[in-house]
Amino acid sequence: MTTASTPSPRKHQALALFQGLPRHYDRMGALLSFGQDPLWRRALVRAVDPDPGARVLDVASGTGMVAVALARYSGCQVVALDQSEAMLSVARARVDENPSLAGRITFVTGEAERLPFANAEFDALTFTYLLRYVDDRAATMRELARVVKPGGRIGMVEFGVPQRAALRVLWRIHTRIGLPLLGRIVSPAWFEVGRFLGPSIEELDRVEPDLPGLWRSAGIRDVVLRRPSFGAGLVMSGVRDGDPAP
């Protein structure tokens, strides 16, 4: 378990960016991705495939979409962690409205870089749209892997950049023009998100061209990278190194 530190400018930006978003977050995520974001999240849950009764940590849980999907998928126990209390308040309300989820999802305010959990505490771990918001991605991946039992599955959803040149041109038009325009319709906060997303996604693609290698360096094996929606999404999964075998 690592110690706390002063938030970096990138961390401050992420907190400020998401402060005004929780109310429309789920619907806007689907809209901005042309309905693909919910599909990617479902693919993530299937890739991790937790056993009934497993204990799963959902990092960067936001409004709890993946946490709820995990609990419904197999009856596992989920700990939903996010740095934004505003986001978690929406997630709590979602769970409170579903009596079948009572006692199956708990919430923790915290950061992926400094998880408040012991080594090998969880059977599996998921995270969504996280790596663009941390300063040291290698250290963050090691911290995520630290809390997973050997043989436990780890999964991620992230935005991607299409690899085919023609699709990349269309994608850039959408992210540079379409996303800000869609965001402006909703609120000034979503306009800022629309302006931020395209450059942020391309930065991750440029700076971390070998995400499977990043995962393997953190002690995660059998890494699988899928690029759904013509490459606009990334769904990754792997296994925490060490025995038992998957």
Side-chain angles (χ1 to χ4, degrees):
M1 190 182 306
T2 55
T3 58
S5 63
T6 303
S8 68
R10 186 191 296 266
K11 181 68 64 175
H12 278 300
Q13 180 187 26
L15 286 167
L17 190 68
F18 285 97
Q19 184 64 33
L21 305 187
R23 182 180 176 187
H24 301 289
Y25 184 81
D26 299 0
R27 281 178 289 182
M28 284 299 295
L31 175 64
L32 295 179
S33 65
F34 287 107
Q36 300 305 293
D37 170 74
L39 302 180
W40 303 340
R41 293 176 189 265
R42 287 198 289 271
L44 167 63
V45 172
R46 291 194 299 270
V48 173
D49 191 25
D51 293 328
R55 192 161 183 252
V56 183
L57 177 61
D58 182 40
V59 178
S61 190
T63 59
M65 287 184 281
V66 170
V68 169
L70 286 163
R72 287 175 169 165
Y73 179 81
S74 71
C76 61
Q77 299 290 316
V78 184
V79 176
L81 179 141
D82 199 277
Q83 66 177 1
S84 170
E85 183 57 38
M87 287 286 190
L88 287 182
S89 67
V90 176
R92 290 188 182 96
R94 167 178 273 134
V95 172
D96 289 343
E97 292 170 358
N98 291 271
S100 63
L101 299 175
R104 292 163 58 188
I105 303 177
T106 56
F107 300 94
V108 175
T109 303
E111 297 178 300
E113 303 95 321
R114 289 164 285 276
L115 296 172
F117 306 109
N119 295 346
E121 188 168 335
F122 294 92
D123 299 296
L125 182 146
T126 57
F127 61 100
T128 52
Y129 307 122
L130 169 66
L131 294 182
R132 287 179 292 115
Y133 301 103
V134 299
D135 294 301
D136 190 334
R137 297 182 181 100
T140 299
M141 287 304 308
R142 290 193 297 271
E143 176 69 357
L144 296 174
R146 177 186 67 79
V147 301
V148 179
K149 296 176 182 177
R153 299 201 67 83
I154 298 171
M156 174 193 87
V157 163
E158 183 54 84
F159 289 113
V161 179
Q163 297 181 306
R164 291 174 55 186
L167 291 174
R168 186 182 290 250
V169 170
L170 294 174
W171 177 91
R172 186 169 286 119
I173 292 171
H174 172 60
T175 57
R176 294 302 195 278
I177 300 174
L179 293 185
L181 288 176
L182 288 170
R184 186 188 292 276
I185 294 171
V186 180
S187 71
W190 276 108
F191 172 67
E192 291 301 323
V193 171
R195 290 202 307 170
F196 167 82
L197 276 177
S200 172
I201 296 165
E202 286 199 273
E203 180 193 19
L204 179 64
D205 182 69
R206 182 181 68 255
V207 176
E208 297 289 353
D210 183 17
L211 285 173
L214 179 71
W215 281 42
R216 286 190 288 268
S217 296
I220 304 169
R221 57 179 167 83
D222 301 335
V223 178
V224 176
L225 169 59
R226 300 178 179 88
R227 296 180 178 272
S229 308
F230 303 103
L234 302 177
V235 179
M236 289 184 65
S237 62
V239 177
R240 178 69 170 96
D241 207 359
D243 294 329

